[in-house]
Amino acid sequence: MEQQYSESELIEFLEYLASKNLLNSATVSSRKAAAIKMLSAIDEDEKRDLRKLDRDLLFQRFTNKFGKSFTPESLLTYKSRFNIALNHFLEYKESPSTFKIGSSKKPPKENGAETKDKKRATNTATNFNIPPTAIEPKSYVLQIPISNGTLVEIRNLPMDLTEADATKIAAVIKAHAP
C-alpha cells in the first residue's frame, strides 16, 4: 500500500504515540510541528514514501525556504526533532509489536552524498549515529506568529511542560498586554 509510509501516516503515528501515552504530549507536539514544517518544503509526490527521502536535501530545502524565519539553533532543533520522529516511525513500521521509544537499533538509511554539515555534526545532536534517546532535548523553542507579523519566540520550554505551568506562563504573558 503506497500510503503506508506517507506524511499523513507519520502524523497519524505521532498522534498515536500521544493518545497511548507512549510519549509525552509536548514532545509529540514539537516533533509533529517539526515534521509538518520540514515536509512543507517538498512537493506532494515526495511525501508519499518517506523511506525514499533524502534527509540532507530536505534540510537544505527547508533551510533555503524558511531559514530566515529561524535562528541557526532552531533550524538544527527542527532537523533533530524531525529525524527522531521519522526514525521512530520507520522502526514502528518495521515491527509494530516490538517497537519501543528509545530502542533505536541502527542509524537510518540515507540517500545522497555526505555534506559539510553532516561532517560537522559528528559530535552533535544531529549525528544520525547517536540513538534518539541520547539526544532527546530537555527544552525547546516555541515560535508563534502574531497579528502584526512579528514572530515571538518562547525559549527553554520544558519538553514535559505541565498544564499548570502553561497556564502560569500564559498568565504572565497576558499581564503584559495593555
Side-chain angles (χ1 to χ4, degrees), residues 14-34:
L14 292 170
E15 291 168 352
Y16 160 79
L17 293 178
S19 72
K20 298 297 182 187
N21 292 318
L22 296 173
L23 195 59
N24 178 291
S25 61
T27 301
V28 170
S29 293
S30 65
R31 290 181 185 172
K32 182 177 169 183

Side-chain angles (χ1 to χ4, degrees), residues 65-135:
K65 191 169 185 178
F66 302 109
K68 291 180 182 178
S69 301
F70 299 96
T71 64
E73 178 186 83
S74 293
L75 288 170
L76 290 176
T77 298
Y78 269 73
K79 181 180 182 180
S80 175
R81 288 179 182 162
F82 172 76
N83 281 310
I84 292 168
L86 187 56
N87 289 348
H88 284 156
F89 173 63
L90 296 175
E91 289 170 15
Y92 175 81
K93 286 295 197 175
E94 184 179 307
S95 181
S97 64
T98 61
F99 173 76
K100 290 184 182 174
I101 294 293
S103 66
S104 284
K105 305 172 287 269
K106 60 188 178 208
K109 295 176 187 172
E110 288 188 54
N111 301 324
E114 276 196 356
T115 63
K116 290 179 185 177
D117 176 54
K118 186 174 174 184
K119 289 176 185 173
R120 262 187 261 123
T122 301
N123 294 313
T124 69
T126 58
N127 182 352
F128 299 123
N129 294 323
I130 297 173
T133 54
I135 61 173

